[in-house]
Every structure is written in C-alpha cells, then in structure tokens.
Amino acid sequence: MKLLPFLLLISFVFSLERETIRKQALELIPQMADLRNFPIHVEGRKIKDWILEDAYPEGKLYLRDVPLDNKLLEELIKNANVGELAKDVYVAYGVTLRRTDLKLLPTEAVVHKGNPEIDYNQYSSLDPFVPLIVMHHSKDKEWLFVQSSFMRGWVRKKDVRLISREEFLRLFDIPFLVVLRPELKVGDLIYSMGAMIPYVGDEKESYLVLTPEGKIHRVKKDGLSEGYLAFSEERAKELLESLIGYPYQWGGYYDCSALVKAIFGVFGVELPRNSYQQALMGDGIEVNFKNYEEFKQLLKRLPPYRTLLYMKGHIMIFGGFEGEDVVIYHAVYSITKDNGQRIFPKTVVRNLLEKDALKNLYRRILAVRVLK
C-alpha cells in the first residue's frame, strides 16, 4: 500500500483556463463563492437579503396538491426565521453527509404548477462531502441556510456534519479523486459525475477514500481519476455518451445545467448551476444567423464539446457534426419538433438536428458561448 502526502494534486494542463473561468464566474455570478476565502462573519441583513433574493415564478402554484395561497407562502417564509438573524453572524462550517438537496425555502414540500416533476423549490442536488458555509437555521431547527461554491440555499440539518474552520480549510489541500461515471457508489453513498472524493492512499486495485464522517473506505479504481482530467474532445464525447439514457431530474442529476456542470467539472472547470448563468461563461459569439444554414456555418467554425448553446431555460453542448448534421447533447424533459409535435424524452439525449427534425431549434438560440 502506498500512502500519499496531503498535497493537492492538480494537473497543470488547462490550469490557466480553469482559473480564468473561475474568476469570471465569481465576478459575474453573485450566488457563487470562494469558500476558502469566505469571511468568518457576515452582516445579518446581508444574509436576510440572500435568503429572500429569489422567489417562485408567477402564476398559479401548488404546495404538494394544495393551491399555494399567500397564507401558505407566509408560513414557508416564516420558517426561514429571518427575524432571528443577529446583526453580525459568525459563520459555521460543514460538509454534506450524503446526497441531499439545496432548496429555495426550508421545506421538503414540492412547489409546482400542476406537474410535481417540476419543483420550483428545488435548486440542486448536492453530492456527499460538499463543503458548506453555514449561516443560519430555520425556525423549526430542521434546516440550515448554507453557501456552497456554486449556490446558496437550504439543506436538511440531518444531512450536514459540522466541522471546525481548521478542518474545513484542510479539505482544500487533500488529494482528491474525480468521478467519471454517471453514478458511483462508495458504501452507502452515491456520487455523481464530476464529484470530488478526498483520498489518503492507494493500493494496486483500490483507493482509500475519506467518508464525510471522517472514516476511511476502500473503493475500486474503476470510474475514478486522480485529480482533474486534461480536457480533450475525445474524453468529453466519451463522458457524454456514457450519460445518454440517464433519467432527467429537475434540479438534480441530471437536468440540462447539471449535465453541463458535471461534464466540465471532470476537467476542473466549475460552472454555475443554472442554464442562464452558464450562458454567461466563456467567450460570447454573436447570434446573428438568419436561418438554419447560417447557424450551421457558424457552428462549423466553433470547437465541439466546448461550445454551449443556450435558449430560454435550457442549455446544450454542441457535439460537432455527423456528416453534415449538427450534433447536440442535452438533458431534456420535453422538446418541440419541427412539425410542432411536443415529445417528452425525460432523459439525456444525443440529437441530430436534421435527422431528428429539430432544425427550428436555431430560432430559439439566445446565446452561443465558447469555453477556452
């Protein structure tokens, strides 16, 4: 058995691009944070603003199967407990104990517009061992308001292990493995693609990994990388192909933006969590094509697997060409074909725009971004 020193193992390849995108994200996306340099105390009024900065969409909403009226909404907000915030809040530190969810307001209840598969209270799933800054607790003491590296929100208190600031900071200097599969089990824990797992040593066929509870677990090497991979189109394609057919899950693994975040996370590029924010990353390409052929000609000049195509509420990865047909990869709940037929893949798919009668998607493209 070979024990590794507690040093961060990061490939030099692609490091400048990672840092450039990280800085861009921190500058443009206020919900993202540099956790290592997060302040040790925050004004209570700022935390209050963060808690109340987002809201459910307009229109008729349901809480489970009951109409969400103002009284019910006030109860949800009341549980956020903003009246109990101190003038100056000293933050705490923690890690997720298992896969859990990050919520807009502190409730497990689904908030929807008639389709409970689309939960407007769901921000994102979080993998085990995700570092968190803890800033507040709910009135019922069952939820914590936290900052992850890419988003703020509420998580179940039972899913968080509190640790000291010293332990928290050491997490950023421990060697880590990166998950290369759509899903990887480590004992009772489930990790998604791009998740980071701290490890302390390796054997011939296994790694010795740390669990969020501080124990050591042996896991087979298959499906794991020691640190981030260097980017290549071939590797990106391989990862995307491995996800095809994986179920779509709104706010989880995988919806459209979770797919994009996972793929680039393998290469050490941390993107924001929602599609609109992801469409601000990288270099913008002018969207001035007047028809599908002009759209194709534009894509022929752009690098596959590093070009993102954004339309309202949805983001896709350009996967090059198959012959003369445009290839896109995306996690999609529903989509409208050229003949007006709406279909419901509810999965990660690889589409050929002409073969699959999706040429008119070009009309809805609002942004084309290239990650370098």
Side-chain angles (χ1 to χ4, degrees), residues 4-8 170 173-175 199-200 210:
L4 299 173
F6 280 74
L7 296 173
L8 186 62
R170 282 201 297 270
D173 293 322
I174 299 177
Y199 77 118
V200 296
L210 285 177

Side-chain angles (χ1 to χ4, degrees), residues 94-150:
V95 294
T96 50
L97 284 168
R98 57 190 66 87
R99 180 178 285 186
T100 188
D101 293 318
L102 194 65
K103 301 288 189 176
L104 190 159
L105 287 175
T107 178
E108 290 282 10
V110 175
V111 177
H112 61 94
K113 286 189 171 184
N115 179 3
E117 292 181 341
I118 309 299
D119 179 8
Y120 294 106
N121 197 53
Q122 173 75 8
Y123 273 149
S124 179
S125 291
L126 298 175
D127 281 297
F129 228 135
V130 171
L132 300 172
I133 302 291
V134 180
M135 296 178 282
H136 192 43
H137 61 81
S138 61
K139 191 175 184 65
D140 61 14
K141 303 294 195 297
E142 294 184 4
W143 296 83
L144 298 173
F145 185 71
V146 302
Q147 172 76 63
S148 72
S149 62
F150 62 90

Side-chain angles (χ1 to χ4, degrees), residues 198-217:
Y199 77 118
V200 296
D202 74 278
E203 302 172 329
K204 185 176 181 180
E205 297 180 353
S206 303
Y207 291 113
L208 301 178
V209 303
L210 285 177
T211 70
E213 293 178 331
K215 299 178 181 178
I216 295 178
H217 190 94

Side-chain angles (χ1 to χ4, degrees), residues 67-82:
L68 180 61
D69 57 20
N70 289 336
K71 183 178 179 180
L72 283 175
L73 182 58
E74 287 172 5
E75 287 298 314
L76 294 180
I77 295 174
K78 184 178 179 180
N79 196 36
N81 203 27
V82 294

Side-chain angles (χ1 to χ4, degrees), residues 79 177 223 329 352:
N79 196 36
L177 305 168
Y329 294 88
L352 279 70

Side-chain angles (χ1 to χ4, degrees), residues 152-208:
R152 294 184 286 267
W154 294 90
V155 296
R156 278 284 188 185
K157 183 178 179 179
K158 66 180 182 180
D159 293 335
V160 177
R161 176 188 170 217
L162 296 178
I163 59 178
S164 69
R165 175 175 168 80
E166 290 72 25
E167 289 178 279
F168 183 80
L169 293 176
R170 282 201 297 270
L171 291 176
F172 300 96
D173 293 322
I174 299 177
F176 60 90
L177 305 168
V178 178
V179 177
L180 306 180
R181 293 179 179 174
E183 188 172 280
L184 181 77
K185 288 190 176 182
V186 179
D188 295 331
L189 302 177
I190 300 175
Y191 291 85
S192 67
M193 182 179 288
M196 298 165 59
I197 307 176
Y199 77 118
V200 296
D202 74 278
E203 302 172 329
K204 185 176 181 180
E205 297 180 353
S206 303
Y207 291 113
L208 301 178

Side-chain angles (χ1 to χ4, degrees), residues 306-332:
R306 289 191 289 119
T307 298
L308 304 180
L309 306 175
Y310 170 73
M311 53 192 192
K312 187 177 181 180
H314 189 60
I315 197 156
M316 306 169 283
I317 297 176
F318 166 54
F321 284 81
E322 186 171 296
E324 285 294 307
D325 208 343
V326 177
V327 179
I328 59 169
Y329 294 88
H330 54 155
V332 58

